Amino acid sequence: MAKRIDIKDLNLFYGSFHAVDGVTLAVPPRNVTAFIGPSGCGKSTVLRSLNRMHEVIPGARAEGQVLLDGEDIYSAAVDPVSVRRTIGMVFQRPNPFPTMSIRDNVVAGLRLAGVRDRKRLDEVAERALRGANLWAEVKDRLGKPGGGLSGGQQQRLCIARAIAVQPDVLLMDEPCSALDPISTLAIEDLIGELKKDYTIVIVTHNMQQAARVSDQTAFFNLAGVGQPGKLIEVDDTEKIFSNPSTKATEDYISGRFG
Amino acid sequence: MTTATTDLDRPATPPAFQEISPGRKFRNRLATVLVTGAFLVAMVPLVWVIWTVLAKGLHRVLNADWWQKSFGGLTSRNPGGGVYHAIYGTLLQGLLCAVIAVPIAIMVAVYLVEYGRRSRLAKAVTFTVDILSGVPSIVAALFLYALWVTTLGLPRSAFAVSLALVLLMIPVVVRTTEELLKIVPDELREASYALGIPKWKTIVKIVLPTAMSGIITGVMLALARVMGETAPVLVLVGYNQFINYDPFQGNMASLPLLMNSERLTTNAIGEARVWGAAVTLVLIITVFNLLGSLLSRLTAIKTK
């Protein structure tokens, strides 16, 4: 299941704009890695490049290597669809499919991949919803539309949907930024449980959150507007927040800029 | 004991809020009168038309024969008979048109929104659709005549009418579908891609169902519009008093065509036939509009 990611000299572009410059980073399995940094530093762009969602934006492209247990997801022979099946993603704003019920949302990935067996789908739905700590709240209304849930429940539904296809890695792009503190706590607890089975990479603007949930933290920064974002420092979360090796990191986490 | 008024009891400044000024009251009233007046002016011809049509034609329609029989074998002096042949023609031509036009139009819209964004071909298609939506129905009819009858040497028929209606229906459905697909949030597409669902499946299973309710409304409105088109039936098929079920051969009546030819019957019976057909056409179009809003309500996105 959980696999390691090695990013090697990754450069990301939007058209002619060089968005991220030369990132090299290792993400160990069964571990939470947090990306922090000011707006526009490219942390979300790097995250999206890890399951080839970056290139979905017209004109966007990537150079360099991203190895999943040694296999380059950017090699020419690799189908991006199969990459995304292996590396799941949770977005900033909860985005359940509005035409589907709660259950159908959870099993959407399997159903649209051709799984028809009702019994198996029901089992997967229950397991994923339990995994996302949502089962108790929705078990009596699985047939109701996903859009009727609260924001925090919708986000956990999206996490359930992402883990239902049993990915090796889970990417989270500011998963709590649209949620209230109670729902945020629920998601953070969930991340703590999910890391037993998955490799997790999370982008967050909230440094306390990075300190709370992650084992490893990567700090990104940019020299100025129009300049590419860069990876400044990556280390154990404890070290980054207590004794970072660069001045920029220390300034950022202590709130002196950004 | 008297209570002395101190400075504290008096407001330090004059009240901050004022009454509505007379000028603004006047402008408000004027605008209200103008807007209401415009509404009434717009309603007058509408109500008048519906009233005239119902007053002159309703008595003819409230008769079972009207819906079940044709004018076959009846002369202009024989009362009775019905417009079953023309209702059949109108519905058949409209539905044949929809069967051809709707899939093409939806696929064009899918191309424009999902694949062609900003490409040169997409721009050319959009431009063509814009022009096509401005083409008068008589031009579409004459084009089809030139193609179907003059060039291909095929007979005039109901199917040729349907093809002319296709030209009129495609741009309308492309436009509405395009707008509806554009408002499907990109987040849903991304959520689907991130689950490892290929693009075509995302479009078929996520994007189109999300927009389906509006697309159905658009299709029904377009259908109601083309069923009332007169130029194509005048040019591309002949009137027939008898029932003809075959769209590829022979003349076939439709309600607009029936009205146009019975108009030439200058007696009370002919007049009643024309108005009766008018009521029937209005009714059919109303039913299609209602059906459209019912279907769109049934397929609408629910949150409860």
Side-chain angles (χ1 to χ4, degrees), chain A residues 48 51 53 56-58 81 84-85 87-89 91 93 95-100 105 108-109 112-114 116 144-145 147-148 161-162 165, chain B residues 117-118 185-202 205-212 299-304:
Chain A
R48 289 172 59 94
N51 67 342
M53 285 296 287
V56 167
I57 297 163
V81 169
R84 293 175 200 139
R85 229 166 252 167
I87 305 178
M89 189 160 197
F91 296 83
R93 282 216 312 241
N95 51 4
F97 299 129
T99 52
M100 295 184 191
N105 258 290
L112 295 187
R116 286 272 166 275
K144 296 275 164 61
R161 183 175 67 185
V165 293
Chain B
R117 276 188 185 180
R118 290 186 292 181
D186 273 339
E187 281 108 44
L188 292 183
R189 296 183 179 90
E190 294 204 333
S192 176
Y193 296 154
L195 287 173
I197 298 168
K199 182 165 181 170
W200 70 271
K201 229 169 200 176
T202 301
K205 299 282 187 172
I206 308 288
V207 179
L208 282 175
T210 305
M212 191 49 74
T299 52
I301 287 161
K302 300 166 191 78
T303 51
K304 282 269 155 55

Coordinates of all heavy atoms in Angstrom, one line a residue, chain A residues 48 51 53 56-58 81 84-85 87-89 91 93 95-100 105 108-109 112-114 116 144-145 147-148 161-162 165, chain B residues 117-118 185-202 205-212 299-304:
Chain A
R48 N -0.1 19.4 -6.8 CA -0.9 19.0 -7.9 C 0.0 18.2 -8.9 O -0.5 17.4 -9.7 CB -1.5 20.1 -8.6 CG -2.7 20.7 -7.7 CD -3.2 22.0 -8.3 NE -3.7 21.8 -9.7 CZ -4.9 21.5 -10.0 NH1 -5.8 21.5 -9.0 NH2 -5.3 21.4 -11.2
N51 N 0.3 14.1 -8.6 CA -0.6 13.1 -9.3 C -1.0 13.5 -10.7 O -2.1 13.2 -11.2 CB -1.8 12.7 -8.4 CG -2.8 13.9 -8.3 OD1 -2.4 15.0 -8.5 ND2 -4.0 13.6 -7.9
M53 N -2.1 16.3 -11.8 CA -3.2 17.1 -11.9 C -2.8 18.5 -12.4 O -3.6 19.3 -12.9 CB -4.0 17.3 -10.6 CG -4.8 16.1 -10.2 SD -6.1 15.8 -11.3 CE -7.3 17.1 -10.9
V56 N -3.6 19.4 -16.0 CA -5.0 19.5 -16.4 C -5.3 21.0 -16.8 O -6.1 21.2 -17.6 CB -5.9 19.1 -15.2 CG1 -7.3 19.5 -15.4 CG2 -5.8 17.6 -15.0
I57 N -4.6 21.9 -16.2 CA -4.7 23.3 -16.5 C -4.1 23.6 -17.9 O -3.0 23.2 -18.1 CB -4.1 24.2 -15.4 CG1 -4.8 24.0 -14.1 CG2 -4.1 25.7 -15.8 CD1 -4.0 24.4 -12.9
P58 N -4.8 24.2 -18.8 CA -4.3 24.4 -20.1 C -3.0 25.2 -20.1 O -2.8 26.2 -19.4 CB -5.4 25.3 -20.8 CG -6.6 25.0 -20.1 CD -6.2 24.8 -18.7
V81 N -4.1 8.8 -16.1 CA -5.3 8.3 -15.4 C -4.9 7.3 -14.4 O -5.4 7.2 -13.3 CB -6.3 7.8 -16.4 CG1 -7.4 7.0 -15.7 CG2 -6.8 8.9 -17.2
R84 N -3.4 8.8 -11.3 CA -4.4 9.4 -10.4 C -5.2 8.4 -9.6 O -5.7 8.6 -8.5 CB -5.3 10.3 -11.1 CG -4.6 11.6 -11.7 CD -5.5 12.4 -12.5 NE -4.7 13.2 -13.4 CZ -4.9 13.5 -14.7 NH1 -6.0 13.0 -15.3 NH2 -4.1 14.2 -15.4
R85 N -5.2 7.2 -10.2 CA -5.9 6.1 -9.5 C -5.0 5.7 -8.3 O -5.6 5.2 -7.3 CB -6.1 4.9 -10.4 CG -7.5 4.3 -10.4 CD -7.7 3.4 -11.6 NE -8.6 4.0 -12.6 CZ -8.7 3.6 -13.8 NH1 -8.0 2.5 -14.2 NH2 -9.5 4.2 -14.7
I87 N -2.7 7.7 -6.7 CA -2.4 8.9 -5.9 C -3.6 9.7 -5.8 O -4.0 10.4 -6.7 CB -1.2 9.7 -6.4 CG1 0.0 8.8 -6.6 CG2 -0.9 10.8 -5.4 CD1 1.2 9.4 -7.1
G88 N -4.3 9.6 -4.7 CA -5.6 10.3 -4.5 C -5.4 11.8 -4.1 O -4.4 12.2 -3.6
M89 N -6.5 12.5 -4.2 CA -6.4 13.9 -3.8 C -7.7 14.5 -3.2 O -8.8 14.1 -3.6 CB -6.1 14.7 -5.1 CG -5.8 16.2 -4.9 SD -4.9 16.8 -6.3 CE -4.2 18.3 -5.6
F91 N -9.4 18.2 -2.1 CA -9.2 19.6 -2.5 C -9.6 20.6 -1.4 O -10.1 20.2 -0.4 CB -10.1 19.9 -3.8 CG -9.7 19.1 -5.0 CD1 -10.1 17.8 -5.2 CD2 -8.8 19.7 -5.9 CE1 -9.7 17.1 -6.3 CE2 -8.4 18.9 -7.0 CZ -8.8 17.6 -7.2
R93 N -11.8 23.1 -1.4 CA -13.2 23.2 -1.1 C -13.9 21.9 -1.3 O -13.6 21.2 -2.3 CB -13.9 24.3 -2.1 CG -13.6 25.7 -1.6 CD -14.8 26.5 -1.9 NE -15.3 26.3 -3.3 CZ -15.4 27.2 -4.2 NH1 -15.0 28.4 -4.0 NH2 -15.8 26.9 -5.4
N95 N -16.0 19.1 -2.7 CA -16.6 19.1 -4.0 C -17.3 17.8 -4.3 O -16.9 17.1 -5.2 CB -15.6 19.4 -5.1 CG -14.3 18.6 -5.0 OD1 -14.3 17.7 -4.1 ND2 -13.4 18.8 -5.8
P96 N -18.3 17.4 -3.4 CA -19.0 16.1 -3.8 C -19.8 16.3 -5.1 O -20.1 17.4 -5.5 CB -20.0 16.0 -2.6 CG -20.1 17.3 -2.0 CD -18.8 18.0 -2.3
F97 N -20.0 15.2 -5.8 CA -20.7 15.2 -7.0 C -22.2 15.5 -6.7 O -22.8 14.7 -6.0 CB -20.6 13.9 -7.8 CG -19.2 13.6 -8.2 CD1 -18.6 12.4 -7.9 CD2 -18.4 14.5 -8.8 CE1 -17.3 12.1 -8.2 CE2 -17.0 14.3 -9.1 CZ -16.5 13.0 -8.8
P98 N -22.7 16.6 -7.2 CA -24.1 17.1 -6.8 C -25.2 16.1 -7.3 O -26.3 16.1 -6.7 CB -24.2 18.4 -7.4 CG -23.2 18.5 -8.5 CD -22.1 17.6 -8.2
T99 N -24.9 15.3 -8.3 CA -26.0 14.5 -8.8 C -26.1 13.2 -8.1 O -27.0 12.4 -8.4 CB -25.8 14.2 -10.3 OG1 -24.5 13.7 -10.5 CG2 -26.0 15.4 -11.2
M100 N -25.1 12.9 -7.2 CA -25.0 11.6 -6.6 C -25.4 11.6 -5.1 O -25.2 12.6 -4.4 CB -23.6 11.0 -6.8 CG -23.2 10.8 -8.2 SD -21.6 10.0 -8.2 CE -21.2 10.2 -9.9
N105 N -21.4 8.9 -4.1 CA -20.2 9.7 -4.1 C -19.0 8.9 -3.7 O -18.0 9.0 -4.3 CB -20.4 10.9 -3.2 CG -20.8 12.2 -3.9 OD1 -19.9 12.7 -4.6 ND2 -22.0 12.6 -3.8
A108 N -17.9 6.4 -6.3 CA -17.9 6.9 -7.6 C -16.7 6.5 -8.4 O -16.8 6.0 -9.5 CB -17.9 8.5 -7.6
G109 N -15.5 6.5 -7.7 CA -14.3 6.1 -8.4 C -14.3 4.7 -8.9 O -13.9 4.3 -10.0
L112 N -17.4 4.2 -11.7 CA -17.0 4.7 -13.0 C -15.8 4.0 -13.6 O -15.6 4.1 -14.8 CB -16.7 6.2 -12.9 CG -17.9 7.1 -12.5 CD1 -17.6 8.5 -12.6 CD2 -19.1 6.7 -13.4
A113 N -15.1 3.2 -12.8 CA -14.1 2.3 -13.3 C -14.7 1.0 -13.7 O -14.0 0.1 -14.2 CB -13.0 2.1 -12.3
G114 N -16.0 0.8 -13.5 CA -16.7 -0.4 -14.1 C -17.1 -1.4 -13.1 O -17.6 -2.5 -13.4
R116 N -19.5 -3.2 -10.8 CA -21.0 -3.2 -10.7 C -21.5 -3.9 -9.5 O -22.7 -3.8 -9.2 CB -21.5 -3.9 -12.0 CG -21.4 -3.0 -13.2 CD -22.6 -2.1 -13.4 NE -22.3 -1.1 -14.4 CZ -21.7 0.1 -14.1 NH1 -21.3 0.3 -12.9 NH2 -21.5 1.0 -15.1
K144 N -29.3 9.8 0.4 CA -29.6 11.2 0.3 C -28.4 11.9 -0.4 O -27.3 11.4 -0.4 CB -29.8 11.8 1.7 CG -31.0 11.3 2.4 CD -32.2 12.1 2.0 CE -33.5 11.4 2.4 NZ -33.7 11.2 3.9
P145 N -28.7 13.0 -1.1 CA -27.7 13.7 -1.8 C -26.5 14.2 -0.9 O -26.7 14.6 0.2 CB -28.4 14.9 -2.5 CG -29.8 14.7 -2.3 CD -30.0 13.7 -1.2
G147 N -24.8 16.8 -1.3 CA -24.8 18.2 -1.2 C -25.6 18.7 0.1 O -25.5 19.8 0.4
G148 N -26.3 17.8 0.7 CA -27.1 18.2 1.9 C -26.3 18.1 3.2 O -26.8 18.6 4.2
R161 N -14.3 9.4 -0.4 CA -14.3 9.1 -1.8 C -12.9 8.8 -2.3 O -12.7 8.0 -3.1 CB -14.9 10.3 -2.5 CG -15.1 10.2 -4.0 CD -15.8 11.4 -4.6 NE -15.0 12.6 -4.5 CZ -15.4 13.8 -4.8 NH1 -16.6 14.0 -5.3 NH2 -14.6 14.8 -4.7
A162 N -11.9 9.6 -1.8 CA -10.6 9.5 -2.2 C -10.0 8.1 -1.7 O -9.2 7.5 -2.4 CB -9.7 10.6 -1.7
V165 N -11.0 4.3 -3.4 CA -10.3 3.6 -4.5 C -8.9 3.0 -4.0 O -8.1 2.6 -4.9 CB -10.1 4.6 -5.7 CG1 -11.4 4.9 -6.3 CG2 -9.3 5.8 -5.3
Chain B
R117 N -11.7 24.6 -26.1 CA -11.5 25.9 -25.4 C -10.3 26.6 -26.1 O -9.2 26.2 -26.0 CB -11.2 25.7 -23.9 CG -12.5 25.6 -23.2 CD -12.2 25.6 -21.7 NE -13.5 25.4 -21.0 CZ -13.7 25.4 -19.7 NH1 -12.6 25.5 -18.9 NH2 -14.9 25.2 -19.2
R118 N -10.7 27.8 -26.6 CA -9.7 28.8 -27.2 C -9.0 28.3 -28.4 O -8.1 29.0 -28.9 CB -8.6 29.1 -26.1 CG -9.2 30.0 -25.0 CD -8.2 30.4 -24.0 NE -7.6 29.3 -23.3 CZ -6.7 29.5 -22.3 NH1 -6.2 30.7 -22.1 NH2 -6.2 28.4 -21.7
P185 N -19.0 23.6 -12.3 CA -17.7 24.0 -11.8 C -16.5 23.1 -12.2 O -16.7 21.9 -12.2 CB -17.9 24.0 -10.2 CG -19.3 23.7 -10.0 CD -20.0 23.3 -11.3
D186 N -15.4 23.7 -12.4 CA -14.2 22.9 -12.8 C -13.8 22.0 -11.6 O -13.2 21.0 -11.8 CB -13.0 23.8 -13.1 CG -13.0 24.2 -14.6 OD1 -13.6 23.5 -15.4 OD2 -12.4 25.3 -14.9
E187 N -14.2 22.4 -10.4 CA -13.8 21.5 -9.2 C -14.4 20.1 -9.4 O -13.7 19.2 -8.9 CB -14.4 22.1 -7.9 CG -13.5 23.3 -7.4 CD -14.2 24.6 -7.5 OE1 -15.4 24.7 -7.3 OE2 -13.6 25.6 -8.0
L188 N -15.6 20.0 -10.0 CA -16.2 18.7 -10.2 C -15.3 17.9 -11.2 O -15.1 16.7 -11.0 CB -17.6 18.8 -10.7 CG -18.6 19.4 -9.7 CD1 -20.0 19.4 -10.2 CD2 -18.5 18.6 -8.4
R189 N -14.9 18.5 -12.2 CA -14.1 17.8 -13.2 C -12.8 17.4 -12.6 O -12.4 16.2 -12.7 CB -13.8 18.7 -14.4 CG -15.0 19.1 -15.2 CD -14.6 20.0 -16.4 NE -15.8 20.4 -17.1 CZ -16.5 21.5 -16.9 NH1 -16.1 22.3 -16.0 NH2 -17.6 21.7 -17.7
E190 N -12.2 18.3 -11.8 CA -10.9 17.9 -11.1 C -11.1 16.8 -10.1 O -10.3 15.9 -10.0 CB -10.3 19.1 -10.4 CG -9.9 20.2 -11.4 CD -8.8 21.1 -10.8 OE1 -8.8 21.3 -9.5 OE2 -8.1 21.7 -11.6
A191 N -12.2 16.8 -9.3 CA -12.5 15.8 -8.4 C -12.6 14.4 -9.1 O -12.1 13.4 -8.6 CB -13.8 16.1 -7.7
S192 N -13.2 14.5 -10.3 CA -13.3 13.2 -11.0 C -12.0 12.7 -11.6 O -11.6 11.6 -11.4 CB -14.3 13.5 -12.1 OG -14.4 12.3 -13.0
Y193 N -11.2 13.7 -12.2 CA -9.9 13.3 -12.7 C -9.0 12.7 -11.5 O -8.3 11.7 -11.7 CB -9.1 14.5 -13.2 CG -9.7 15.1 -14.4 CD1 -9.5 16.5 -14.7 CD2 -10.6 14.4 -15.3 CE1 -10.1 17.1 -15.8 CE2 -11.1 15.0 -16.4 CZ -10.9 16.3 -16.7 OH -11.5 16.9 -17.7
A194 N -9.1 13.3 -10.3 CA -8.3 12.9 -9.2 C -8.6 11.5 -8.7 O -7.9 10.9 -8.0 CB -8.4 13.9 -8.1
L195 N -9.8 11.0 -9.1 CA -10.2 9.6 -8.7 C -9.7 8.7 -9.8 O -10.0 7.5 -9.7 CB -11.7 9.5 -8.6 CG -12.3 10.2 -7.4 CD1 -13.9 10.1 -7.5 CD2 -11.9 9.5 -6.1
G196 N -9.0 9.2 -10.8 CA -8.6 8.3 -11.8 C -9.6 7.9 -12.8 O -9.7 6.9 -13.4
I197 N -10.6 8.9 -13.0 CA -11.6 8.7 -14.0 C -11.2 9.4 -15.3 O -10.9 10.6 -15.2 CB -13.0 9.2 -13.5 CG1 -13.4 8.5 -12.2 CG2 -14.1 9.1 -14.5 CD1 -14.5 9.1 -11.5
P198 N -11.2 8.7 -16.4 CA -10.8 9.4 -17.7 C -11.7 10.5 -18.1 O -12.8 10.6 -17.6 CB -10.8 8.2 -18.7 CG -11.2 7.0 -18.0 CD -11.6 7.3 -16.6
K199 N -11.2 11.4 -18.9 CA -11.9 12.6 -19.3 C -13.3 12.3 -19.9 O -14.3 12.9 -19.5 CB -11.0 13.4 -20.2 CG -11.7 14.7 -20.6 CD -10.7 15.6 -21.3 CE -11.3 17.0 -21.6 NZ -10.4 18.0 -22.0
W200 N -13.3 11.4 -20.8 CA -14.6 11.1 -21.5 C -15.7 10.7 -20.5 O -16.8 11.1 -20.6 CB -14.5 10.2 -22.7 CG -14.2 8.8 -22.3 CD1 -12.9 8.2 -22.1 CD2 -15.1 7.7 -22.0 NE1 -13.1 6.9 -21.7 CE2 -14.4 6.6 -21.7 CE3 -16.5 7.6 -22.1 CZ2 -15.0 5.4 -21.3 CZ3 -17.1 6.4 -21.7 CH2 -16.4 5.3 -21.4
K201 N -15.2 9.8 -19.6 CA -16.2 9.3 -18.6 C -16.6 10.4 -17.6 O -17.7 10.5 -17.1 CB -15.6 8.2 -17.8 CG -16.5 7.0 -17.7 CD -15.7 5.8 -17.2 CE -16.5 4.5 -17.6 NZ -15.8 3.3 -17.2
T202 N -15.7 11.3 -17.3 CA -16.0 12.5 -16.5 C -17.1 13.3 -17.2 O -18.0 13.8 -16.5 CB -14.7 13.4 -16.3 OG1 -13.7 12.6 -15.7 CG2 -15.0 14.6 -15.4
K205 N -20.5 11.0 -17.3 CA -21.1 10.6 -16.0 C -21.1 11.7 -14.9 O -21.9 11.6 -14.0 CB -20.3 9.5 -15.4 CG -20.2 8.2 -16.2 CD -21.5 7.4 -16.1 CE -21.4 6.1 -16.9 NZ -22.5 5.3 -16.6
I206 N -20.3 12.8 -15.1 CA -20.3 13.8 -14.1 C -20.8 15.1 -14.7 O -21.8 15.7 -14.2 CB -18.9 14.1 -13.5 CG1 -18.3 12.7 -13.0 CG2 -18.9 15.1 -12.4 CD1 -18.9 12.2 -11.7
V207 N -20.2 15.6 -15.7 CA -20.5 16.9 -16.2 C -21.9 17.0 -16.9 O -22.7 17.9 -16.5 CB -19.4 17.4 -17.3 CG1 -19.8 18.8 -17.8 CG2 -18.1 17.4 -16.6
L208 N -22.2 16.1 -17.8 CA -23.5 16.2 -18.4 C -24.7 15.9 -17.5 O -25.6 16.7 -17.5 CB -23.6 15.2 -19.6 CG -22.9 15.6 -20.9 CD1 -22.9 14.5 -22.0 CD2 -23.5 16.9 -21.5
P209 N -24.6 14.9 -16.6 CA -25.7 14.8 -15.6 C -25.9 16.1 -14.7 O -27.0 16.4 -14.4 CB -25.3 13.6 -14.7 CG -24.4 12.8 -15.6 CD -23.7 13.8 -16.5
T210 N -24.8 16.8 -14.4 CA -24.9 18.0 -13.6 C -25.7 19.0 -14.3 O -26.4 19.8 -13.8 CB -23.5 18.5 -13.2 OG1 -22.8 17.4 -12.5 CG2 -23.6 19.6 -12.2
A211 N -25.5 19.1 -15.7 CA -26.1 20.1 -16.5 C -27.5 19.6 -17.1 O -28.1 20.4 -17.8 CB -25.2 20.6 -17.6
M212 N -27.8 18.4 -16.8 CA -28.9 17.7 -17.6 C -30.2 18.5 -17.5 O -30.9 18.7 -18.5 CB -29.1 16.3 -17.1 CG -30.0 15.4 -18.0 SD -29.6 15.6 -19.7 CE -28.1 14.6 -19.8
T299 N -35.2 16.1 -12.9 CA -33.8 15.8 -13.0 C -32.9 16.9 -12.3 O -31.7 16.8 -12.3 CB -33.3 15.8 -14.5 OG1 -33.8 17.0 -15.1 CG2 -33.9 14.6 -15.2
A300 N -33.6 17.9 -11.6 CA -32.8 18.9 -11.0 C -32.0 18.3 -9.8 O -32.3 17.3 -9.3 CB -33.8 20.0 -10.4
I301 N -30.9 19.0 -9.5 CA -30.0 18.6 -8.5 C -30.7 18.8 -7.1 O -31.1 19.9 -6.8 CB -28.7 19.4 -8.6 CG1 -27.9 18.8 -9.8 CG2 -27.8 19.2 -7.3 CD1 -26.8 19.7 -10.3
K302 N -30.7 17.8 -6.3 CA -31.3 17.9 -5.0 C -30.3 18.0 -3.9 O -29.2 17.4 -4.0 CB -32.2 16.7 -4.8 CG -33.3 16.5 -5.9 CD -33.9 15.1 -5.8 CE -34.8 14.9 -7.0 NZ -34.0 14.6 -8.2
T303 N -30.6 18.7 -2.9 CA -29.7 18.7 -1.7 C -30.4 18.1 -0.5 O -29.7 18.0 0.5 CB -29.3 20.2 -1.4 OG1 -30.5 21.0 -1.2 CG2 -28.4 20.8 -2.4
K304 N -31.7 17.8 -0.6 CA -32.3 17.2 0.6 C -32.6 15.7 0.4 O -32.9 15.3 -0.7 CB -33.6 17.9 0.8 CG -33.4 19.3 1.5 CD -33.4 19.1 3.1 CE -32.6 20.2 3.8 NZ -33.0 21.5 3.5

